[in-house]
């Protein structure tokens, strides 16, 4: 309590001077650690001493101001840098948010390639979005991937996906040079763009490209990235990947390109359209020299290799894509789904096409049209050749694939004219008639329709064998009416005609449209002895690692569709076409051949389909728009094309007899020709007995007593 009474309350009064000044700041003596005497003196009212500290305080801010400016600048720089980092991070985060989640990213599958191979194992064509199969780095010569590294990203094996040095160098060049702008993108960035992004050139896309490049580098090795790049980069002309480019420009696999060719391919990716070697060889060569020089500087190739490559520039080849083999490849693609369904990886399709026959068919067709097309006003054609079992050996769908990809061999429905008549005669033979049967070549009228022969003349009574060989319309129409048009339709369909046929009197003259492939397929039954066939071009389908997806089984035909006796009689009559009929110009010495010409009304379409015992071939000539030709008949231009092809196709082959002709009495001698028998005469289709003149009855007619 005593303590409480003696306690003094604090007083907050200040001297008058201090009150006027209003200065409540602490002096140096008032601060912690100051001498107690000074504090005490201050409290006792010494108003002289406080003026000195205030004078000193007035000078100190000036000294502090000089030092704090630098500090403030440094501080401001740090803050600005942090804000820049935050801003960059925000921008990156924003653009990253536009991408799929990183943990869900996967390299998209490359569109599958379909390599279509000929029967001898050579490449006919590539189909698919890429134009070539995937190749591994191990398959390639080392200088090929090195060429891309040298010209596109020489620090590829040192950077982490984004190359700051390369970017800085590109920026300097962009500022100091007047040439094209450089982006400094690494191979990894280019791959990221190809895999995940569009081709637009924006800051957003570049940021996303860098993000994805870092992801690629984290998840794949350098060689895996380089392999992905080589198989995805675009080389122009529809070629994606180095294999497609090598096939497109040099007609060979990337595994076999030379150093000079590799340099062109590596230089090409900068500007595929401008640097394509088949379009701008000078620019392509200049660029390839830069690639070779870069490879030499980096030690990828020796000076000797450099000298050799520079001394022997790469020469592009004419692309296979321009040839008629593409018609066959298109047909393969049309039917492929029936055998393998959905295609998810690269596959190899082995076909029955024989390159030598494909080339011969294209050559003879084009030569005929080039030489006589203008004179006869005919601009287009189609050619089909197959083995008697239905295996396609040549398929030409038009005069020029580059000009028109429409496949006239498989898709053009045209009137076959008289080449349809064998189905009428076969129907009559199956009803009991024979080649000896006589029918009258005389005017015929059916409900006002009066068909005439080609020469508008009539010959009177005539054997069927001669009526077919001479392609008489009157007798064909009479036979059609005799057996019934519906029966003829059924016969044609049984042999392989799949197009709709009109069962009417004019059917005998080939007024219902068919395709060349259908007609040749139907004739194959005559060539093989009576079995119906299904045309086929695919022998095997397998993946690139050897897994077989489809293998054509043996047989696969329709079974017997013509009885042996009927085959023998039909082949004898169609062989007579080569002896006395409209196909005499198509004879090939040593071979027994058979076939039938066809010409439609007003010369719109002209055909010839013929066969040996080993090969069936058919030709169509005409105009796509139905324009009339100038008297092109089956017996002139089509027969010439067929003959020129078969002469090449059968060269150096052992003659094969026609099925059924051995059923005739081959040991019977031919009158007037010592040592000549029917069997040997039948194997010599060009042979005509010396006592017979053109237009007279041949030995078959005499043999059967006509």
């Amino acid at each position: 309590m005593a303590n409480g009474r003696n306690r003094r309350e604090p007083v907050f009064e200040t001297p008058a001077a201090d009150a006027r000044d209003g200065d409540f700041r602490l002096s140096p003596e008032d601060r912690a650690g100051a001498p107690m005497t000074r504090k005490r003196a201050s409290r006792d009212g010494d108003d002289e001493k406080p003026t000195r500290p205030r004078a000193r305080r007035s000078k100190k801010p000036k000294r502090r101001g000089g030092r704090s400016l630098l500090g403030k600048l440094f501080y401001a720089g740090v803050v600005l840098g942090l804000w820049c980092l935050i801003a960059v991070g925000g921008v990156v985060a924003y653009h990253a948010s536009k991408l799929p989640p990183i943990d869900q990213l996967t390299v998209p599958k490359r569109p599958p390639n379909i390599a279509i191979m000929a029967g001898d194992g050579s490449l006919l064509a590539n189909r698919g979005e890429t134009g070539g199969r995937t190749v591994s780095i191990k398959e390639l010569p080392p200088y090929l991937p090195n060429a891309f590294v040298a010209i596109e990203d020489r620090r590829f094996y040192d950077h982490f996906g984004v190359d700051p040095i390369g970017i800085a160098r590109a920026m300097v060049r962009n500022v100091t040079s007047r040439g094209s702008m450089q982006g400094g993108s690494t191979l990894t960035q280019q791959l990221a763009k190809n895999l995940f992004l569009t081709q637009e050139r924006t800051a957003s896309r570049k940021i996303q490209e860098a993000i994805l490049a870092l992801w690629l580098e984290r998840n794949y090795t350098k060689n895996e990235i380089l392999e992905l790049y080589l198989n995805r980069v675009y080389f122009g002309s529809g070629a994606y990947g180095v294999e497609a480019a090598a096939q497109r420009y040099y007609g060979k696999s990337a595994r076999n390109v030379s150093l000079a060719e590799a340099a062109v391919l590596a230089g090409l990716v900068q500007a595929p359209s401008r640097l394509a070697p088949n379009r701008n060889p000078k620019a392509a060569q200049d660029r390839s020299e830069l690639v070779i020089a870069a490879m030499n500087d980096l030690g990828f190739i020796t000076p000797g290799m450099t000298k050799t490559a520079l001394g022997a520039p790469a020469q592009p080849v004419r692309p296979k894509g321009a040839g008629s083999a593409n018609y066959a490849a298109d047909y393969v693609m049309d039917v492929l789904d029936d055998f393998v369904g959905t295609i998810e990886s690269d596959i190899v399709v082995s076909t029955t096409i024989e390159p030598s026959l494909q080339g011969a068919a294209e050559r003879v067709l084009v030569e005929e049209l080039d030489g006589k097309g203008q004179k006869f006003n005919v601009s287009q054609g189609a050619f089909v050749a197959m083995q008697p079992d239905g295996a396609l050996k040549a398929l030409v769908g038009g005069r020029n694939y580059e000009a028109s990809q429409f496949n006239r061999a498989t898709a053009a429905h045209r009137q076959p004219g008289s080449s349809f008549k064998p189905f009428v005669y076969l129907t009559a033979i199956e009803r009991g008639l024979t080649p000896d049967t006589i029918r009258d070549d005389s005017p015929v009228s059916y409900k006002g329709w009066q068909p005439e022969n080609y020469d508008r003349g009539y010959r009177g009574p005539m054997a069927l064998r001669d009526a077919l060989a001479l392609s008489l319309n009157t007798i064909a129409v009479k036979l059609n009416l005799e057996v019934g048009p519906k029966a003829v339709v059924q016969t044609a369909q049984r042999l392989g005609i799949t197009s709709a046929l009109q069962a009417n009197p004019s059917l005998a003259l080939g007024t219902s449209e068919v395709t060349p492939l259908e007609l040749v397929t139907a004739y194959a039954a005559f060539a093989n002895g009576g079995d119906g066939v299904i045309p086929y071009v695919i022998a095997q389908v397998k993946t690139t690692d050897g897994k077989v997806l489809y293998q054509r089984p043996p047989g696969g035909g329709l079974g017997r569709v013509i009885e042996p006796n009927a085959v023998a009689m039909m082949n004898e009559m169609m062989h007579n076409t080569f002896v006395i009929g409209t196909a005499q110009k198509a004879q090939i010495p040593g071979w027994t051949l058979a076939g039938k010409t066809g010409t439609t009304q007003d010369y719109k379409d002209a055909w010839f389909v013929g066969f040996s015992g080993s090969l069936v071939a058919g030709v169509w000539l005409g105009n796509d728009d139905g324009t009339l030709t100038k008297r092109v008949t089956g017996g002139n231009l089509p027969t010439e094309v067929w003959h020129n092809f078969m002469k090449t196709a059968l060269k150096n082959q052992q003659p094969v007899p026609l099925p059924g002709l051995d059923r005739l009495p081959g040991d019977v001698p031919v009158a007037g020709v010592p040592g000549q028998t029917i069997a040997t005469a039948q194997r010599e289709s060009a042979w005509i007995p010396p006592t017979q003149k053109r237009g007279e009855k041949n030995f078959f007619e005499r043999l059967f007593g006509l």
Side-chain angles (χ1 to χ4, degrees):
M1 296 297 293
N3 290 337
R5 287 193 300 266
N6 296 328
R7 187 179 63 182
R8 298 177 63 184
E9 296 295 331
V11 178
F12 294 96
E13 296 176 351
T14 59
D18 290 342
R20 285 192 304 270
D21 293 339
D23 189 358
F24 295 96
R25 291 176 295 178
L26 293 175
S27 68
E29 289 79 6
D30 295 325
R31 300 182 185 277
M36 293 300 295
T37 56
R38 292 183 179 180
K39 290 183 178 180
R40 189 177 297 112
S42 176
R43 287 195 299 269
D44 290 342
D46 185 358
D47 54 354
E48 291 292 327
K49 292 179 180 178
T51 59
R52 294 174 63 188
R54 284 197 294 269
R56 287 195 297 270
R57 286 198 299 270
S58 65
K59 295 178 180 179
K60 285 181 179 179
K62 293 181 180 179
R63 291 195 297 270
R64 287 197 194 110
R67 291 195 300 269
S68 64
L69 179 60
L70 293 176
K72 288 180 179 179
L73 289 175
F74 175 76
Y75 176 77
V78 172
V79 172
L80 181 61
L82 290 174
W83 277 111
C84 287
L85 287 176
I86 293 171
V88 170
V91 171
V92 171
Y94 170 77
H95 290 292
S97 69
K98 301 298 182 181
L99 296 171
I102 290 295
D103 58 351
Q104 297 179 18
L105 272 181
T106 56
V107 171
K109 286 186 177 181
R110 184 176 186 266
N113 180 69
I114 302 164
I116 301 174
M117 316 301 289
D120 63 357
S122 62
L123 180 69
L124 284 179
N126 281 300
R127 287 291 185 269
E129 296 181 24
T130 57
R133 74 174 184 88
T134 300
V135 291
S136 67
I137 281 190
K138 294 179 180 179
E139 296 179 76
L140 303 174
Y143 51 73
L144 181 53
N146 284 342
F148 288 84
V149 172
I151 196 64
E152 288 292 317
D153 187 4
R154 61 174 56 202
R155 287 172 42 80
F156 173 71
Y157 289 102
D158 299 322
H159 61 64
F160 51 87
V162 178
D163 185 9
I165 297 176
I167 294 174
R169 183 173 58 246
M171 292 176 64
V172 171
R173 289 181 180 177
N174 290 340
V175 172
T176 60
S177 67
R178 297 181 180 179
S180 60
M181 299 293 286
Q182 297 187 14
S185 293
T186 64
L187 285 177
T188 313
Q189 288 176 268
Q190 294 180 45
L191 175 62
K193 177 181 65 177
N194 290 335
L195 291 177
F196 303 108
L197 304 173
T198 65
Q199 298 299 314
E200 63 178 344
R201 295 185 177 184
T202 63
S204 174
R205 202 268 295 158
K206 292 295 291 184
I207 293 171
Q208 292 177 332
E209 179 184 293
I211 296 170
L212 293 168
L214 296 176
W215 179 83
L216 285 170
E217 291 278 347
R218 178 183 176 186
N219 290 276
Y220 295 90
T221 67
K222 288 290 186 179
N223 280 346
E224 288 173 337
I225 290 172
L226 186 55
E227 184 174 298
L228 283 169
Y229 175 85
L230 291 173
N231 283 291
R232 304 297 181 104
V233 68
Y234 183 58
F235 290 87
S237 299
Y240 288 85
V242 69
E243 175 70 11
Q247 294 286 358
R248 177 67 178 83
Y249 296 113
Y250 297 110
K252 64 176 69 172
S253 170
R255 295 170 294 177
N256 302 319
V257 296
S258 66
L259 173 57
E261 293 164 344
V264 173
L265 295 177
L268 180 60
V269 297
Q270 183 191 59
S273 297
R274 180 171 57 84
L275 298 175
N278 59 346
R279 296 180 182 177
N280 195 343
K282 177 64 167 58
Q285 177 59 26
D286 291 344
R287 177 71 173 167
S288 72
E289 291 176 0
L290 293 177
V291 176
I292 294 170
M295 295 177 71
N296 182 71
D297 291 343
L298 293 172
F300 288 159
I301 55 177
T302 65
M305 296 171 67
T306 301
K307 182 178 179 180
T308 300
L310 293 175
Q315 298 296 326
V317 298
R318 181 176 180 269
K320 293 182 178 180
S324 67
N326 279 274
Y327 288 116
D330 289 348
Y331 180 63
V332 169
M333 296 302 296
D334 288 342
V335 301
L336 184 60
D337 286 348
D338 297 336
F339 301 100
V340 297
T342 303
I343 300 170
E344 297 182 349
S345 61
D346 289 0
I347 61 173
V348 178
V349 181
S350 299
T351 73
T352 59
I353 297 296
E354 190 170 330
S356 62
L357 297 185
Q358 180 71 30
E362 178 182 6
R363 175 179 53 80
V364 298
L365 179 65
V366 172
E367 286 180 353
E368 191 77 10
L369 291 173
D370 287 349
K372 299 181 180 180
Q374 185 174 3
K375 176 182 178 181
F376 287 89
N377 192 39
V378 57
S379 60
Q380 274 297 349
F383 194 101
V384 178
M386 68 172 61
Q387 290 180 172
D389 68 347
L392 284 166
K393 292 298 178 181
L395 186 73
V396 181
R399 183 176 189 171
N400 186 312
Y401 184 83
E402 283 188 327
S404 172
Q405 289 79 54
F406 178 60
N407 197 333
R408 296 156 188 83
T410 62
H413 288 77
R414 309 296 293 238
Q415 292 184 347
S418 295
S419 60
F420 190 85
K421 288 176 180 176
F423 307 123
V424 179
Y425 279 78
L426 174 59
T427 307
I429 292 293
E430 292 175 338
R431 295 298 191 278
L433 279 63
T434 71
D436 303 331
T437 300
I438 303 296
R439 288 293 183 268
D440 192 26
D441 176 21
S442 59
V444 58
S445 178
Y446 180 84
K447 296 183 178 180
W449 178 54
Q450 297 178 331
E452 296 179 327
N453 292 323
Y454 172 76
D455 60 359
R456 293 182 170 81
Y458 302 98
R459 296 163 179 78
M462 180 170 291
L464 295 187
R465 66 167 52 84
D466 290 337
L468 180 60
L470 298 175
S471 197
L472 300 181
N473 291 336
T474 56
I475 292 180
V477 170
K478 290 177 180 179
L479 286 177
N480 182 40
L481 295 173
E482 182 178 337
V483 300
K486 289 184 179 179
V488 175
V489 169
Q490 292 172 353
T491 298
Q493 292 175 338
R494 189 173 78 237
L495 268 64
I497 299 296
T498 58
S499 294
L501 302 175
Q502 301 299 317
N504 53 34
S506 66
L507 176 67
L509 305 185
T511 54
S512 290
E513 296 177 340
V514 299
T515 68
L517 179 60
E518 285 180 89
L519 200 56
V520 173
T521 299
Y523 273 62
F526 298 119
N528 66 30
D531 290 335
V533 303
I534 299 174
Y536 70 95
V537 69
I538 298 176
Q540 183 189 71
V541 181
K542 62 181 180 180
T543 62
T544 51
D545 59 5
K547 179 183 178 182
V548 176
L549 303 178
Y550 167 78
Q551 179 71 52
R552 187 179 188 277
L558 300 175
R560 180 164 290 281
V561 295
I562 312 175
E563 290 302 316
N565 286 338
V567 172
M569 288 186 278
M570 286 301 303
N571 284 349
E572 183 234 310
M573 288 193 291
M574 286 191 283
H575 168 70
N576 203 31
T577 303
F578 283 79
V579 178
I580 68 166
T582 54
Q584 294 181 51
K585 293 189 297 184
Q587 297 172 356
I588 298 177
W591 284 86
T592 308
L593 305 172
K596 186 69 187 74
T597 59
T599 309
T600 60
Q601 187 176 14
D602 297 327
Y603 306 101
K604 281 187 179 181
D605 303 278
W607 299 73
F608 183 69
V609 184
F611 54 92
S612 69
S614 59
L615 193 63
V616 190
V619 185
W620 165 82
L621 295 178
N623 296 304
D624 287 338
D625 59 1
T627 302
L628 304 183
T629 68
K630 293 181 179 179
R631 303 184 69 84
V632 176
T633 68
N636 50 39
L637 270 60
T639 298
E640 292 174 5
V641 172
W642 187 92
H643 173 260
N644 292 337
F645 170 80
M646 292 294 281
K647 188 169 58 176
T648 298
L650 301 178
K651 185 178 181 180
N652 299 325
Q653 291 189 20
Q654 186 67 29
V656 178
L658 288 177
L661 293 193
D662 56 354
R663 301 174 66 86
L664 297 175
D667 57 342
V668 176
V670 176
V673 184
Q676 181 72 63
T677 65
I678 292 177
T680 57
Q682 289 169 341
R683 289 196 298 269
E684 299 173 3
S685 61
W687 177 82
I688 298 176
T691 57
Q692 179 189 349
K693 297 180 180 179
R694 294 292 180 189
E696 293 180 353
K697 292 183 178 181
N698 62 22
F699 71 95
F700 285 115
E701 296 171 307
R702 294 199 304 274
L703 174 65
F704 288 99
L706 298 179

